[in-house]
Amino acid sequence: MWAHGSLAGGDYQPTRSDLDLVAVLSRACTAQEEHHIADVHEILGRSNPLAVKLHCGYLPAAEAADPARAHLAWAHEELLRRPITPVTRRELHEFGLVLYGEPPAVILPPVTERQLTDFVLHDLKTFWRPSLDHPEWWLKDIWVDLGLLTLARATVTLRTGKLISKRDALGVLQELDAPAEVVEDIRRRRYGDPRPAGQPWLAYRAESTLAFLGPAIDRLVAGHKPTGTSAES
């Protein structure tokens, strides 16, 4: 069992941060076992407020080599299937917490620079850029927070190959000339004392975020030089 994300990186904020875990399995779950896992998560969510933000990927060890392969996961209070992405894998290798069993390096292959770069660019182009066509989504805190923080973290990863925390990403957003009021709103809700937000502010925040993010994503993607073929490819 491993932890990654904010908890492993030292930026965990109780009740505000997700609790990101990966459980390594000896084999894939049966349908009955999947139902049991969902029941356990639902019971935890009702009994412990922190469990509402619990995200856990269930990774059969025999399937660990393929970063594109989808696995059973619990996230956003539902059972789904999604990959253990190259970003998550790099986090696990660099600063993952071993809660039980073998360390990630024993089970997960290393993540190459090309794998990391290709994933970050693909995520920006195929998920985040199209999401801007749904302005109603951006009235919610989670879209504003993750959209802007992902841009900042992607910028650093594409430039340097490094992963940064959400706290550090706020500073990068300032350097990128993101809307200062929106950046401060994220900082206050994550690290300070959140204030009640009315509909006029939510609408203004969404409009400002969308106006900034579209051109910023386009510039980042267009300005990044494709990774050359090398021995690590």
Side-chain angles (χ1 to χ4, degrees):
M1 175 75 76
W2 308 320
H4 61 99
S6 299
L7 180 64
D11 192 31
Y12 181 73
Q13 306 297 310
T15 74
R16 302 181 188 184
S17 298
D18 293 330
L19 180 58
D20 297 311
L21 305 178
V22 174
V24 180
L25 310 178
S26 60
R27 57 170 175 78
C29 293
T30 64
Q32 183 177 2
E33 288 167 339
E34 290 185 11
H35 287 304
H36 180 65
I37 287 172
D39 289 342
V40 169
H41 279 287
E42 289 172 356
I43 292 169
L44 282 173
R46 291 194 296 267
S47 61
N48 189 328
L50 292 179
V52 173
K53 290 187 171 288
L54 173 61
H55 294 179
C56 187
Y58 293 89
L59 174 65
E63 301 175 5
D66 184 0
R69 184 163 182 168
H71 309 284
L72 184 69
W74 178 268
H76 309 296
E77 301 184 74
E78 65 176 334
L79 206 60
L80 44 80
R81 278 176 169 75
R82 63 183 186 182
I84 308 294
T85 70
V87 169
T88 295
R89 289 164 180 259
R90 178 63 69 87
E91 287 182 355
L92 287 166
H93 277 291
E94 291 190 355
F95 54 82
L97 293 180
V98 178
L99 305 179
Y100 181 81
E102 300 281 4
V106 173
I107 297 170
L108 295 177
V111 179
T112 68
E113 294 304 316
R114 184 166 189 172
Q115 285 176 321
L116 186 62
T117 296
D118 287 351
F119 172 77
V120 169
L121 287 170
H122 182 76
D123 190 48
L124 289 172
K125 290 188 288 187
T126 65
F127 180 80
W128 287 108
R129 192 60 177 87
S131 76
L132 305 183
D133 295 331
H134 301 273
E136 69 279 6
W137 296 355
W138 296 84
L139 294 170
K140 298 180 180 180
D141 292 346
I142 189 170
W143 281 94
V144 172
D145 295 2
L146 290 183
L148 287 171
L149 293 172
T150 295
L151 172 73
R153 299 170 91 177
T155 298
V156 172
T157 298
L158 292 174
R159 288 177 179 172
T160 70
K162 296 180 180 179
L163 304 179
I164 62 170
S165 69
K166 290 178 179 176
R167 185 186 293 273
D168 290 338
L170 289 170
V172 175
L173 284 172
Q174 292 176 316
E175 297 171 9
L176 295 174
D177 292 326
E181 293 171 292
V182 179
V183 175
E184 181 55 32
D185 175 63
I186 298 172
R187 188 191 309 276
R188 184 169 54 245
R189 285 186 289 100
R190 183 170 176 82
Y191 300 108
D193 184 18
R195 302 173 185 173
Q199 193 62 31
W201 162 248
L202 297 179
Y204 171 78
R205 185 184 67 178
E207 183 179 355
S208 299
T209 299
L210 292 172
F212 167 75
L213 262 184
I217 291 174
D218 291 342
R219 285 193 301 270
L220 181 58
V221 170
H224 181 74
K225 296 180 180 179
T227 306
T229 303
S230 67
E232 69 173 10
S233 300

